[in-house]
Each structure stands twice: as structure tokens, then as C-alpha cells.
Amino acid sequence: MKGQKLVIVGGGSTYTIGMIMSLIVEKDKFPLKSITLYDINHERQEKVGRVAEIILKEKYSELESFNYTTNKEEAFIDVDFAFIQIRTGGLEMRINDERIPLSYGVVGQETCGPGGMAYGMRSIGDMIEIIDDIRKYSRDAWILNYTNPAAIVAEALKRVFPQDKKILNICDMPAAIMVSYSKILGKEIWDLVPEYFGLNHFGWFTKIYDREGNDLTDIIKDSILSEGFLPQDSEIVNDPSWIKTFKRVKVMLGDFPEYLPNTYLQYYLYPEEMVKKEDPKYTRASQVIDGREKRLSVLCESIINNQSTKDEELHVDIHGRYMVRVAASLAYNRGDIYIVIVQNKGIISNLPEDTMVEVPAMLTVNGPKPFAIGKIPTFYKGLIEGQGAYEKLVVDAYFEKDYNKALQALTLNRTVVNAPLARKILDDLIEVNENYWPRLNR
Ligand code: NAD
Ligand code: G6P
Ligand code: MN
């Protein structure tokens, strides 16, 4: 197998070390020739880069080269794959995304509701610029994007790069949920075959099979309803916020037993409770700063001081492994089935053709081949149409610089609903995002 040349954009991300570990664990499936990290923040990336170098030296002797840079040409020239994981505005701006809606009694979340809109309007411009630059230097590279809010980024990229068939947006949440299913079943996640439909952070598993075709859905449902549900992936297993979120799956399934819900549906189905459990003065972003970010920083310092990983416990989480396996299937025509974000084009026959949907697809060298789903029932269709319209309006507002479209988007979102409230939240978000958003015309 030909070794791949990979660039990771957002090299200073808290997910990079996990990604490096996943690339090591999966090296037989996705062998690499070179890895380059690229970031606009040299200092942040350097720490991660120095650690990655030590890890790779110990555990990836086949790798021909590793480097980190803030030079785009150096980073993007002649690569086969680009993984993008940036955060425009950083976790500091995420605090605003969550705090402002919460201060009005509305869900404050990174990807859902007003926070998702604010983050989306920050991410779009940087994502377009990065993809333009990658295409300047590597016309045929696969571009796998995880940058959030993936739903809004995917909608925007579809519009700007309609002919580019090698951009794929992916979320790890369905896979993280499947890790918990696999624990219930005493299997490995890779033994499970899902049926799933929805939008990003807004979907349902309709069936879970094993590779022999046995339907395991009812075993999972019965277990959740009687025993509850918990995160099992190493990254989130001990995180109190994720534990609460996974526990809520039992409540959702109790109320709507037909399908198995994505955890993010809690924000749309139980918005009042979501607001109650949050503290506007210490939102999830602060938890991440004091949690994942700090943990990683301590780990990096320790590895740099020892110039070795021998005293460290390095986790391989599902986020990285999932992304690497997706890449492997695209690179080597494995035809594996993974849940990814693609243009609907009739997959779900009673939803618009142009909606970006999250569904299982067979991944080949010619791209994702999604499976037909057919008509979905009225409840899900109604929910998805509302949310899908919100996503389109956010992207309209961005490109048309249209205040009214942004107001329509927020009013349509299930977490807001009330027009005067939508206006107040929007006006506050405009103020704090003035260095990032286009100026919206009223
Ligand atoms: P982070 O802030 O720790 O890291 C992001 C990095 O991107 C930083 O080092 C920053 O300097 C860099 N960056 C920002 N703008 C850039 C640009 N224009 N070009 C190059 N680099 C840039 O964030 P994180 O918590 O590690 O998350 C990274 C991203 O991955 C976020 O968008 C997050 O939402 C996303 N994510 C998505 C999924 C998914 O399911 N799709 C899962 C995990 C994380
Ligand atoms: C899940 C989601 C991602 C999100 C991540 C971290 O994996 O799919 O989209 O970025 O969780 O969320 P957190 O709130 O812990 O930063
Ligand atoms: Mn996600």
C-alpha cells in the first residue's frame, strides 16, 4: 500500500495527540509517509508538535517525515489527505456563544441554537480560505473536515465548492454512541453495522445489526430502558457533563421509543432542563479549558520534560480512530460503511435534495456511496425540516450579509422560537462577534 502524506490543520488542537495515537494504532490500515501539522498559532502548535515528534519517534519508525509549520505552502504542498480541526475565535469565543443565550434562559451550546449560529458564522470564512489554499497546492487531496458546527460548515462548503467531490464532513458522535452500544452487546464497535438518518447532531439510529446481519436494536433499547446509558469511550467516560448527557438518552428513548436518538437531541427536546443545568458564569467552554485543555497541557509538559512517553497513559479514543478509518476506506477503496455528512440528493426521499444529511455510506476511492433510506415518518421529517431550514438561513445570512435572515434562523430554531427574544440574542452576538462575522445589513 502506498504511504499517505497527511496534513492536520489546527495542529494545536486538543485532539491532535489523540489523532497521532490513532494514526499509530491504525497504521496497517492507513500507512503514512509523512505528517505535517499546520496552525496559525505557532506557540500553541509547537507544544503539541514537540510531543507528537517524541511519540512518533518511539512508535512510528516507518514514518519518513514529521514537521509542524505555520507556512501554508509548506503545509499544503503535495499532500494526499488534509484533516481540518480548527476553532475560529478559540475557546474564549465559545464562552460567549454559550453565555449569551443562557443569560436569556435559552440553550447555550457550541453547536446547537444561537451558540451554533455564532460559531458557524465564525467558522465559514476560515474554512473557505483553508480549502482554497489546500486546492492551490494539492488539487486532488481528500479534505476531511471535523470543524464545528459541522452542519453549518458543510452547508456553506457545498455552496462554495459544488464541483469538489473530495471534501467530506464528519462527526464522531454517532461513533461515540456506538461505542456505548458495543459495550452493551459485548462486541467491538467495528462489529456493528448502523442504520441512521438525520442532520449533524440531529439524528436517530433506526437499526443496529452485527456483521452477520442479526438485528440487535431491541437488545440495545431494552438495556437502555432498564439499565440506563453511559459514555464508554476513553475521552468522555469520566466526564461529568458527558455522563449526564448519555444518561438522558434513557429519558429520550422513554418518551420516543421508536428510534435511538443522537445525544445532541436533548438540547432540542428538553431545552428548559438544559438551561437549568448550566451556569452562565461557567459554561461548557470553561469546563473544557479547565478539563481537556489543561489535561493535555500537563501531559505535553511531562512528555517534553522526560523526552519520553514511558510514564504516560496515552489514550486512543474513538474520535481519532473513526476519522483514520474513514480516511483508510477512501484511500484504499475498502468499502467500509461509516456515518458521514453528504448532500441528500434523494437518499431521504421526503426531504429536500440539497439538504446536508448525516447517513451511513460505503466509502470508496470514488467517494461516499450512501444507501437509500426512503421516506421518514412525520415527526422526524418535521423536526429535520425546521432544523435544516435554520441551517440554510444561517448560511444565507452569512453570504448575503442579511440581518433578517439571521433573525429568521434564530426564530426558527427550536431552542429559541420567540422572535423578540431571538432579536435580543442576535444583537448581543453581533456585538461580541464584530471581529469575526460579516457586517449584517438591516
Ligand atoms: P482548539 O481550540 O483546542 O484547537 C483548534 C486549533 O485550531 C488551535 O490550535 C487554533 O490555533 C487553530 N486554528 C484556529 N483557526 C485556524 C485557522 N484559520 N487555520 C489554522 N489553524 C487554526 O479546539 P478543539 O477543542 O481541539 O477542537 C477543534 C475543532 O474540532 C473544533 O471545531 C471542534 O468543534 C471540532 N471537533 C469536532 C468534532 C466532530 O464531531 N466533528 C469532534 C471533536 C472536535
Ligand atoms: C462530540 C461532538 C463534537 C464535539 C465534541 C466535544 O464528539 O460530536 O462535535 O466537538 O463532542 O464536545 P465538548 O463539549 O466536550 O467540547
Ligand atoms: Mn460532532
Side-chain angles (χ1 to χ4, degrees):
M1 285 196 292
K2 166 188 169 270
Q4 304 289 322
K5 290 182 247 170
L6 168 70
V7 60
I8 300 178
V9 183
S13 155
T14 54
Y15 289 92
T16 302
I17 297 299
M19 184 63 77
I20 296 286
M21 288 308 297
S22 301
L23 290 163
I24 292 165
V25 169
E26 299 285 353
K27 65 175 146 183
D28 291 342
K29 284 203 167 56
F30 191 62
L32 291 170
K33 200 168 167 172
S34 65
I35 304 176
T36 306
L37 306 184
Y38 168 78
D39 204 293
I40 49 171
N41 183 335
H42 170 70
E43 232 183 285
R44 193 180 168 92
Q45 174 170 259
E46 192 185 24
K47 200 163 168 186
V48 174
R50 288 173 66 190
V51 171
E53 197 160 20
I54 295 167
I55 298 177
L56 290 167
K57 217 166 254 161
E58 285 180 12
K59 303 180 199 290
Y60 210 147
S61 54
E62 307 89 325
L63 194 73
E64 288 174 24
S65 87
F66 169 77
N67 69 321
Y68 46 93
T69 177
T70 53
N71 179 303
K72 279 183 184 169
E73 183 174 354
E74 200 184 318
F76 299 158
I77 197 124
D78 193 23
V79 292
D80 302 303
F81 274 84
F83 293 179
I84 313 183
Q85 44 175 33
I86 63 162
R87 186 185 286 285
T88 304
L91 284 162
E92 285 307 310
M93 285 303 291
R94 178 175 174 178
I95 294 177
N96 291 325
D97 296 345
E98 294 167 340
R99 177 187 52 83
I100 290 171
L102 282 171
S103 70
Y104 289 102
V106 168
V107 168
Q109 210 280 326
E110 175 192 35
T111 62
C112 302
M117 177 174 100
Y119 188 17
M121 304 248 290
R122 286 199 305 278
S123 299
I124 295 172
D126 276 0
M127 283 301 304
I128 295 170
E129 190 184 318
I130 289 168
I131 290 178
D132 271 333
D133 286 324
I134 293 173
R135 283 291 174 253
K136 241 187 260 167
Y137 301 112
S138 288
R139 266 185 38 217
D140 281 330
W142 269 106
I143 298 175
L144 306 190
N145 176 57
Y146 330 121
T147 301
N148 269 322
I152 288 174
V153 170
E155 173 67 24
L157 295 182
K158 171 200 74 185
R159 295 191 197 183
V160 181
F161 305 99
Q163 305 304 334
D164 195 324
K165 301 289 179 256
K166 295 185 89 172
I167 302 172
L168 187 59
N169 295 280
I170 313 165
C171 169
D172 60 22
M173 198 70 244
I177 293 169
M178 285 174 66
V179 170
S180 291
Y181 296 164
S182 67
K183 254 307 198 293
I184 291 173
L185 298 166
K187 290 181 178 291
E188 278 238 36
I189 176 183
W190 318 114
D191 298 333
L192 304 183
V193 182
E195 287 188 3
Y196 184 95
F197 70 80
L199 308 171
N200 177 236
H201 290 185
F202 204 96
W204 294 263
F205 289 92
T206 55
K207 289 280 180 197
I208 295 289
Y209 299 102
D210 63 17
R211 292 204 167 270
E212 288 68 50
N214 299 305
D215 184 347
L216 308 173
T217 323
D218 284 342
I219 302 176
I220 297 169
K221 283 186 184 175
D222 290 348
S223 166
I224 294 173
L225 290 173
S226 60
E227 313 286 323
F229 198 52
L230 287 170
Q232 301 288 354
D233 179 50
S234 59
E235 175 60 36
I236 52 178
V237 65
N238 293 319
D239 184 318
S241 167
W242 280 109
I243 292 172
K244 257 193 218 153
T245 292
F246 271 65
K247 279 188 175 165
R248 188 157 292 276
V249 168
K250 177 181 173 180
V251 179
M252 287 198 265
L253 191 63
D255 283 339
F256 305 103
E258 197 170 14
Y259 300 145
L260 289 153
N262 190 301
T263 51
Y264 277 88
L265 285 162
Q266 65 174 345
Y267 297 105
Y268 303 98
L269 299 176
Y270 310 93
E272 280 179 25
E273 283 170 59
M274 292 302 105
V275 173
K276 256 190 256 154
K277 81 175 174 61
E278 293 297 333
D279 173 1
K281 292 197 192 71
Y282 192 78
T283 68
R284 177 69 190 156
S286 304
Q287 295 172 27
V288 171
I289 291 169
D290 293 340
R292 192 168 66 235
E293 199 174 43
K294 195 155 281 162
R295 233 177 24 244
L296 229 90
S297 171
V298 169
L299 176 78
C300 286
E301 273 159 32
S302 161
I303 293 177
I304 291 170
N305 284 340
N306 296 330
Q307 287 295 301
S308 155
T309 67
K310 68 174 184 333
D311 300 331
E312 311 298 340
E313 233 185 276
L314 291 167
H315 294 288
V316 186
D317 52 46
I318 193 62
H319 172 79
R321 287 193 77 181
Y322 192 68
M323 304 310 172
V324 176
R325 286 195 175 217
V326 164
S329 195
L330 295 168
Y332 301 109
N333 206 31
R334 292 174 53 89
D336 297 340
I337 297 168
Y338 294 114
I339 295 169
V340 293
I341 302 167
V342 292
Q343 197 172 331
N344 185 31
K345 290 188 182 159
I347 301 166
I348 302 169
S349 56
N350 53 350
L351 285 181
E353 294 263 311
D354 64 340
T355 299
M356 295 304 284
V357 294
E358 196 166 80
V359 291
M362 188 170 96
L363 303 184
T364 75
V365 281
N366 298 311
K369 310 288 173 206
F371 301 98
I373 284 169
K375 281 190 180 159
I376 55 170
T378 306
F379 177 58
Y380 312 93
K381 178 174 184 280
L383 285 170
I384 289 175
E385 280 173 339
Q387 177 72 5
Y390 148 85
E391 289 168 3
K392 286 177 185 171
L393 283 165
V394 171
V395 178
D396 287 348
Y398 178 87
F399 286 117
E400 296 167 25
K401 302 182 173 48
D402 185 334
Y403 177 92
N404 212 258
K405 289 269 171 79
L407 182 61
Q408 289 177 349
L410 277 193
T411 307
L412 199 53
N413 196 284
R414 281 183 65 83
T415 64
V416 186
V417 172
N418 177 331
L421 185 60
R423 186 183 291 280
K424 282 186 198 149
I425 296 172
L426 176 59
D427 289 346
D428 283 10
L429 289 175
I430 287 174
E431 212 176 298
V432 298
N433 280 284
E434 66 165 340
N435 295 330
Y436 297 97
W437 288 12
R439 181 180 285 275
L440 301 180
N441 300 311
R442 286 168 202 254

